[in-house]
Coordinates of all heavy atoms in Angstrom, one line a residue:
R45 N -32.4 150.5 -56.7 CA -33.0 149.7 -57.7 C -32.9 148.2 -57.2 O -34.0 147.5 -57.4 CB -32.2 149.8 -59.0 CG -32.8 150.7 -60.0 CD -32.1 150.5 -61.4 NE -30.7 150.4 -61.4 CZ -29.9 151.4 -61.5 NH1 -30.3 152.6 -61.5 NH2 -28.6 151.1 -61.5
Q46 N -31.9 147.8 -56.7 CA -31.8 146.4 -56.2 C -32.8 146.2 -55.1 O -33.4 145.1 -55.0 CB -30.4 146.1 -55.7 CG -29.4 146.0 -56.8 CD -29.6 144.8 -57.7 OE1 -30.3 143.8 -57.4 NE2 -29.0 144.8 -58.9
S47 N -32.9 147.2 -54.1 CA -33.8 147.0 -53.1 C -35.3 146.9 -53.5 O -36.1 146.1 -53.1 CB -33.7 148.1 -52.1 OG -34.7 148.1 -51.1
N48 N -35.6 147.7 -54.6 CA -37.0 147.7 -55.1 C -37.2 146.4 -55.9 O -38.3 145.8 -55.8 CB -37.1 148.9 -56.1 CG -37.2 150.2 -55.4 OD1 -37.5 150.2 -54.2 ND2 -37.0 151.3 -56.1
Y49 N -36.2 145.8 -56.6 CA -36.3 144.5 -57.2 C -36.7 143.5 -56.3 O -37.6 142.7 -56.5 CB -35.1 144.2 -58.0 CG -35.0 142.9 -58.7 CD1 -35.8 142.6 -59.7 CD2 -34.2 141.9 -58.2 CE1 -35.8 141.3 -60.3 CE2 -34.1 140.6 -58.8 CZ -35.0 140.4 -59.8 OH -34.9 139.1 -60.4
T50 N -35.9 143.4 -55.1 CA -36.2 142.4 -54.1 C -37.6 142.5 -53.5 O -38.2 141.5 -53.3 CB -35.1 142.5 -53.0 OG1 -33.8 142.4 -53.7 CG2 -35.2 141.4 -52.0
A51 N -38.0 143.8 -53.3 CA -39.3 144.0 -52.7 C -40.4 143.6 -53.7 O -41.4 143.0 -53.3 CB -39.4 145.5 -52.4
S52 N -40.2 143.8 -55.0 CA -41.2 143.5 -56.0 C -41.3 142.0 -56.1 O -42.4 141.4 -56.3 CB -41.0 144.1 -57.3 OG -39.8 143.6 -57.9
L53 N -40.2 141.2 -56.0 CA -40.3 139.8 -55.9 C -41.1 139.3 -54.8 O -41.9 138.4 -54.8 CB -38.8 139.2 -55.9 CG -38.0 139.3 -57.2 CD1 -36.6 138.7 -57.0 CD2 -38.7 138.5 -58.3
R54 N -40.8 139.9 -53.6 CA -41.5 139.5 -52.4 C -43.0 139.7 -52.5 O -43.8 138.9 -52.2 CB -40.9 140.2 -51.2 CG -41.4 139.8 -49.8 CD -40.7 140.4 -48.7 NE -40.5 141.9 -48.9 CZ -41.4 142.9 -48.7 NH1 -42.6 142.6 -48.3 NH2 -41.1 144.1 -48.9
L55 N -43.3 140.9 -53.1 CA -44.8 141.2 -53.2 C -45.5 140.3 -54.2 O -46.6 140.0 -54.2 CB -44.9 142.6 -53.6 CG -44.6 143.6 -52.5 CD1 -44.7 145.1 -53.1 CD2 -45.6 143.5 -51.4
A56 N -44.6 139.8 -55.2 CA -45.2 138.9 -56.2 C -45.4 137.5 -55.7 O -45.9 136.7 -56.4 CB -44.4 138.9 -57.4
G57 N -44.9 137.2 -54.5 CA -45.1 135.9 -53.9 C -43.9 135.0 -54.0 O -43.9 133.8 -53.6
F58 N -42.8 135.5 -54.4 CA -41.5 134.7 -54.5 C -40.8 134.7 -53.2 O -40.9 135.7 -52.4 CB -40.6 135.2 -55.6 CG -41.1 135.1 -57.0 CD1 -41.7 136.1 -57.6 CD2 -40.9 133.9 -57.6 CE1 -42.2 135.9 -58.9 CE2 -41.4 133.6 -58.9 CZ -42.1 134.7 -59.6
D59 N -40.2 133.6 -52.8 CA -39.3 133.6 -51.6 C -38.0 134.3 -52.0 O -37.3 134.0 -52.9 CB -39.0 132.2 -51.2 CG -40.3 131.4 -50.7 OD1 -41.1 132.1 -50.2 OD2 -40.4 130.2 -50.9
T60 N -37.7 135.3 -51.2 CA -36.5 136.1 -51.4 C -35.5 135.9 -50.2 O -36.0 135.6 -49.1 CB -36.8 137.5 -51.6 OG1 -37.5 138.1 -50.5 CG2 -37.7 137.7 -52.9
S61 N -34.3 136.3 -50.4 CA -33.3 136.3 -49.4 C -32.5 137.6 -49.5 O -32.6 138.3 -50.5 CB -32.4 135.1 -49.5 OG -31.6 135.1 -50.6
A62 N -31.7 137.8 -48.6 CA -30.7 139.0 -48.7 C -29.8 139.0 -49.9 O -29.5 140.0 -50.4 CB -30.0 139.1 -47.4
A63 N -29.5 137.8 -50.3 CA -28.5 137.6 -51.4 C -29.2 138.0 -52.8 O -28.5 138.3 -53.7 CB -28.1 136.2 -51.5
D64 N -30.5 138.0 -52.8 CA -31.2 138.4 -54.1 C -31.0 139.8 -54.4 O -30.9 140.2 -55.5 CB -32.8 138.1 -53.9 CG -33.0 136.7 -53.9 OD1 -32.3 135.8 -54.4 OD2 -34.1 136.3 -53.4
G65 N -30.9 140.7 -53.3 CA -30.6 142.0 -53.5 C -29.2 142.4 -54.0 O -28.9 143.4 -54.6
E66 N -28.3 141.4 -53.7 CA -26.8 141.6 -54.1 C -26.5 141.1 -55.4 O -25.5 141.4 -56.0 CB -26.0 141.0 -53.0 CG -26.2 141.5 -51.6 CD -25.8 143.0 -51.6 OE1 -24.8 143.4 -52.2 OE2 -26.5 143.7 -50.9
R67 N -27.3 140.2 -55.9 CA -27.1 139.5 -57.2 C -27.2 140.5 -58.4 O -28.1 141.3 -58.4 CB -28.0 138.3 -57.4 CG -27.8 137.5 -58.5 CD -28.7 136.2 -58.5 NE -30.0 136.6 -58.1 CZ -31.1 136.1 -58.5 NH1 -31.1 135.1 -59.4 NH2 -32.3 136.4 -58.0
K68 N -26.3 140.4 -59.3 CA -26.3 141.2 -60.5 C -27.4 140.7 -61.4 O -27.7 139.5 -61.6 CB -25.0 141.1 -61.3 CG -23.9 141.7 -60.6 CD -23.9 143.2 -61.0 CE -22.6 143.8 -60.5 NZ -22.6 145.2 -60.7
L69 N -28.2 141.7 -62.0 CA -29.2 141.3 -62.9 C -28.6 141.0 -64.3 O -27.6 141.5 -64.7 CB -30.2 142.5 -63.1 CG -31.0 142.8 -61.7 CD1 -31.8 144.1 -62.0 CD2 -31.8 141.7 -61.3
P70 N -29.3 140.2 -65.0 CA -28.8 139.8 -66.4 C -28.8 141.0 -67.3 O -29.7 141.8 -67.2 CB -29.6 138.6 -66.8 CG -30.9 138.8 -66.1 CD -30.5 139.4 -64.8
S71 N -28.0 141.0 -68.3 CA -28.0 142.1 -69.3 C -29.2 141.9 -70.2 O -29.7 140.8 -70.4 CB -26.7 142.1 -70.1 OG -26.7 141.1 -70.9
R72 N -29.6 143.0 -70.9 CA -30.7 142.9 -71.8 C -30.4 142.0 -72.9 O -31.3 141.1 -73.3 CB -31.0 144.3 -72.3 CG -32.2 144.4 -73.3 CD -32.4 145.8 -73.8 NE -33.6 146.0 -74.5 CZ -33.6 145.8 -75.8 NH1 -32.5 145.6 -76.5 NH2 -34.7 146.0 -76.4
E73 N -29.2 141.9 -73.4 CA -28.9 141.1 -74.6 C -28.9 139.6 -74.1 O -29.4 138.8 -74.9 CB -27.4 141.5 -75.0 CG -27.3 142.8 -75.7 CD -27.3 143.9 -74.7 OE1 -26.9 143.7 -73.6 OE2 -27.6 145.0 -75.2
S74 N -28.4 139.3 -73.0 CA -28.5 137.9 -72.6 C -29.9 137.3 -72.3 O -30.2 136.2 -72.7 CB -27.7 137.7 -71.3 OG -28.3 138.3 -70.2
V75 N -30.8 138.2 -71.9 CA -32.2 137.9 -71.7 C -32.9 137.6 -73.1 O -33.6 136.7 -73.3 CB -33.0 138.9 -70.9 CG1 -34.5 138.6 -70.9 CG2 -32.5 139.0 -69.5
L76 N -32.5 138.6 -74.0 CA -33.2 138.4 -75.3 C -32.7 137.2 -76.1 O -33.4 136.5 -76.7 CB -32.9 139.7 -76.2 CG -33.7 140.9 -75.8 CD1 -33.1 142.2 -76.6 CD2 -35.1 140.8 -75.9
S77 N -31.4 136.9 -75.9 CA -30.8 135.7 -76.6 C -31.4 134.5 -76.0 O -31.6 133.5 -76.7 CB -29.3 135.7 -76.5 OG -28.8 135.6 -75.2
A78 N -31.7 134.4 -74.7 CA -32.2 133.3 -74.0 C -33.7 133.0 -74.5 O -34.0 131.9 -74.8 CB -32.2 133.5 -72.5
Y79 N -34.5 134.1 -74.7 CA -35.8 133.9 -75.2 C -35.8 133.6 -76.7 O -36.7 132.8 -77.2 CB -36.7 135.2 -74.9 CG -37.2 135.3 -73.5 CD1 -36.7 136.2 -72.7 CD2 -38.2 134.4 -73.0 CE1 -37.1 136.2 -71.3 CE2 -38.6 134.4 -71.7 CZ -38.1 135.4 -70.9 OH -38.6 135.5 -69.6
R80 N -34.9 134.1 -77.4 CA -34.9 133.8 -78.9 C -34.4 132.3 -79.1 O -34.9 131.7 -80.1 CB -33.9 134.7 -79.6 CG -34.5 136.1 -79.7 CD -33.5 137.0 -80.4 NE -34.0 138.4 -80.5 CZ -33.4 139.5 -80.4 NH1 -32.0 139.5 -80.1 NH2 -33.9 140.7 -80.4
S81 N -33.6 131.8 -78.3 CA -33.2 130.4 -78.4 C -34.3 129.4 -78.1 O -34.2 128.3 -78.6 CB -32.0 130.1 -77.6 OG -32.3 130.2 -76.2
E82 N -35.3 129.8 -77.3 CA -36.4 129.0 -76.9 C -37.4 128.8 -78.1 O -38.1 127.7 -78.1 CB -37.1 129.5 -75.7 CG -36.3 129.3 -74.4 CD -37.1 129.8 -73.2 OE1 -38.3 130.2 -73.4 OE2 -36.5 129.9 -72.2

Side-chain angles (χ1 to χ4, degrees):
R45 259 194 319 271
Q46 288 292 341
S47 175
N48 288 344
Y49 173 71
T50 305
S52 68
L53 285 176
R54 186 175 40 81
L55 289 172
F58 292 96
D59 292 328
T60 59
S61 66
D64 293 333
E66 299 298 322
R67 186 173 37 146
K68 290 274 190 186
L69 297 176
S71 69
R72 181 178 188 269
E73 291 79 22
S74 66
V75 172
L76 289 175
S77 67
Y79 280 109
R80 287 180 182 144
S81 66
E82 289 181 4

